[in-house]
Amino acid sequence: MIQRTPVRIEARAHPECGESSESASWQQILASSINRPAELLERLGLCPEQWLAGADAGHLLFSIRVPEPFLARMEYGNPNDPLLRQVLPLVDETRTLAGFVADPLAEADAMATTGLIRKYKSRALLMVTGQCAINCRYCFRRHFPYDEQRLKPQDRQTVLNTLANSPEITEVIFSGGDPLAANDKLLAQWVQALEQIPHLRRLRVHTRLPVVIPQRVCDALLQWIRATRLRVVVVLHINHPAEIDQATVQALQRLTDAGVTLLNQSVILRGVNDSVDVLEQLSERMFDAGVLPYYLHAFDPVAGAHHFAVPDSEAKALTRGLLERLPGFLVPRLVRELPGAGSKTPLNLE
């Protein structure tokens, strides 16, 4: 049985953090997320006799986590809701399929030191936390050994030394898990330390939290973003236009007002966004919210998620359809991440 390493909740508020009541709100929402398949089915009015056995089986391999704001955007009584499909465990996850592996991007081979991944020459990826606000069933890190890569206080200086001794690195990427699941005191400490490395120019934050819990864009977060000399880029992960509600738009506007560049990367997923109509609506809705489409990822063959896979030929056809309907700046680049490659690999649409 493949089981994700349990992850300690790191988003708790501490009295000394200076976190506002607004920030405590997102932490409370995160802590009260749905974590039982039976509760998820009950809340959406879905028949347990039909869905619970498969949901429980998948849950044992990779536990569910669904925050309330994301649940509220799902259609009651619809088992094919595209947001529900991203989070509901299915019996398909228990089946082994050739070519679908635990580490599809071979990240174990790219660990420079504890918590630091070096895939690319000019960028380094820092695993700030192993926790996510939502456990997406297709996650390529659903089997990642987060406990082994947890950054302890003594590891942080090793990471900083590695970065300081690598002048070719100009950008650090906060990743995880979801880096915004960590509290703002910890994030501000990391940023203040990174600022002391003169060749670092940008901080990129890969996150789903402003979408699934818009309350995460709080005063404490905006404070350290505004204070840093580093240019901050937030790369969101939105797969379907229904993920963007008014609360999300308002949260993204606050980030934009703080000087953040907003980009998005989606994954092409069977039953979620495998249609030109949906992808077109997604690009238009994101742009209205101040977000530019960045990447459309071909599916990573991670074990337990083969039922989401869309063939490259179909993904290419979808992208060609978008080019016929949208201006070029609203068409995300279709890419695949190949183990050991020095960059994302664009897929030829011919």
Side-chain angles (χ1 to χ4, degrees):
M1 176 185 294
I2 299 175
Q3 187 166 359
R4 184 178 183 177
T5 305
V7 176
R8 177 187 59 183
I9 292 180
E10 301 178 52
R12 56 179 60 87
H14 300 281
E16 70 273 15
C17 286
E19 301 276 1
S20 67
S21 59
E22 181 184 15
S23 180
S25 174
W26 73 261
Q27 292 168 325
Q28 185 177 19
I29 292 170
L30 178 59
S32 61
S33 296
I34 290 175
N35 56 19
R36 293 186 302 109
E39 182 182 1
L40 179 60
L41 295 174
E42 180 182 358
R43 292 289 304 277
L44 292 171
L46 297 176
C47 175
E49 287 78 11
Q50 182 176 358
W51 298 102
L52 186 57
D56 279 341
H59 172 66
L60 288 175
L61 299 178
F62 180 41
S63 61
I64 73 163
R65 181 188 292 271
V66 186
E68 190 70 32
F70 196 76
L71 175 73
R73 298 169 215 165
M74 298 177 191
E75 181 183 355
Y76 185 84
N78 180 8
N80 297 314
D81 180 272
L83 276 60
L84 174 63
R85 183 163 170 80
Q86 296 179 58
V87 298
L88 177 65
L90 299 176
V91 71
D92 289 334
E93 298 181 29
T94 67
R95 296 169 182 153
T96 300
L97 202 67
F100 288 79
V101 298
D103 185 9
L105 304 184
E107 290 188 319
D109 299 332
M111 301 300 304
T113 186
T114 300
L116 190 68
I117 296 178
R118 290 289 309 273
K119 297 182 185 179
Y120 312 122
K121 180 178 180 181
S122 64
R123 289 93 71 203
L125 191 147
L126 183 61
M127 306 291 285
V128 176
T129 176
Q131 186 186 0
C132 281
I134 190 166
N135 285 352
C136 301
R137 310 312 302 174
Y138 53 85
C139 180
F140 71 90
R141 289 198 184 121
R142 57 182 284 162
H143 308 290
F144 192 86
Y146 285 105
D147 271 1
E148 296 175 16
Q149 295 300 326
R150 185 185 303 281
L151 281 162
K152 299 177 286 294
Q154 60 267 33
D155 297 321
R156 294 173 187 170
Q157 192 56 52
T158 301
V159 168
L160 293 170
N161 291 342
T162 300
L163 294 170
N165 293 325
S166 305
E168 69 279 8
I169 297 177
T170 58
E171 179 175 306
V172 169
I173 301 170
F174 280 180
S175 186
D178 191 314
L180 293 192
N183 68 69
D184 286 307
K185 180 180 179 180
L186 174 64
L187 295 173
Q189 289 173 342
W190 270 113
V191 172
Q192 290 162 8
L194 293 172
E195 287 177 329
Q196 306 309 308
I197 301 174
H199 52 265
L200 293 181
R201 300 170 59 184
R202 288 180 301 278
L203 172 68
R204 201 190 320 172
V205 182
H206 283 191
T207 181
R208 195 140 159 75
L209 251 156
V211 178
V212 300
I213 304 179
Q215 294 85 345
R216 179 60 184 96
V217 183
C218 60
D219 291 342
L221 172 66
L222 298 173
Q223 182 176 0
W224 65 256
I225 286 176
R226 289 192 177 103
T228 182
R229 72 162 180 85
L230 301 171
R231 183 66 184 267
V232 179
V233 179
V234 169
V235 181
L236 301 161
H237 180 176
I238 309 171
N239 294 316
H240 193 277
E243 296 178 38
I244 306 173
D245 63 0
Q246 188 56 38
T248 305
V249 172
Q250 292 171 352
L252 299 180
Q253 183 62 58
R254 296 191 75 189
L255 288 170
T256 300
D257 291 345
V260 173
T261 299
L262 295 177
L263 305 175
N264 184 71
Q265 52 184 354
S266 304
V267 181
I268 185 71
L269 298 168
R270 177 69 70 205
V272 175
N273 57 12
D274 53 335
S275 84
V276 177
D277 287 343
V278 169
L279 292 173
E280 178 187 16
Q281 293 168 23
L282 176 60
S283 284
E284 292 282 13
R285 196 156 188 176
M286 285 193 300
F287 189 68
D288 288 344
V291 183
L292 275 176
Y294 176 38
Y295 282 144
L296 178 61
H297 285 270
F299 188 76
D300 296 317
V302 61
H306 61 271
H307 49 292
F308 287 107
V310 173
D312 285 356
S313 58
E314 188 173 337
K316 293 177 184 179
L318 292 171
T319 305
R320 288 193 296 267
L322 289 179
L323 286 168
E324 293 174 358
R325 299 190 186 189
L326 293 170
F329 63 87
L330 290 186
V331 179
R333 175 179 281 190
L334 180 63
V335 298
R336 178 177 293 288
E337 185 161 359
L338 298 173
S343 68
K344 301 290 191 299
T345 301
L347 297 188
N348 190 335
L349 300 182
E350 299 299 326

